Amino acid sequence: MTKTKLYKDIPVTLTTETEQLFDFELVESGKLGQYAKISSQGHELIIGEDLGYLDGDMPEKWRQPAVQKLLALVRDDNKTIGDLN
């Protein structure tokens, strides 16, 4: 069984002058374990529950701000990547 939590069209500040919308999907899958999929403008980043890179073509300069926003969303939602109920 797969559980997901989706955050759509979340603004992320990339630089002091640039903000961009990202989608975040937290997934818990029996086969694949826990991971997060982050996407924006046709690019994607997939990270494991340890926040390590798994796959994707997201530009390097977008990755850290996107992951930081994901952590803030999870923290604000009082959830952990492993708690997708």
Side-chain angles (χ1 to χ4, degrees):
M1 181 172 176
T2 301
K3 298 178 187 177
T4 60
K5 174 75 176 176
L6 184 62
Y7 302 91
K8 291 210 45 97
D9 297 327
I10 305 297
V12 174
T13 302
L14 298 177
T15 69
T16 55
E17 302 164 357
T18 308
E19 189 173 84
Q20 186 167 302
L21 297 178
F22 283 74
D23 294 337
F24 299 88
E25 183 177 4
L26 302 176
V27 180
E28 184 175 351
S29 169
K31 290 185 210 175
L32 302 174
Q34 300 167 350
Y35 63 94
K37 189 184 319 181
I38 304 170
S39 57
S40 182
Q41 295 186 355
H43 296 284
E44 187 172 79
L45 172 64
I46 301 173
I47 57 175
E49 66 181 295
D50 63 352
L51 305 179
Y53 174 86
L54 295 177
D55 197 11
D57 63 352
M58 183 170 286
E60 186 74 32
K61 64 184 176 183
W62 296 1
R63 292 179 186 182
Q64 186 201 18
V67 170
Q68 292 300 320
K69 179 58 93 170
L70 171 64
L71 292 174
L73 289 169
V74 169
R75 185 175 48 247
D76 289 348
D77 207 14
N78 291 323
K79 296 195 181 299
T80 64
I81 289 178
D83 182 19
L84 302 176
N85 296 327

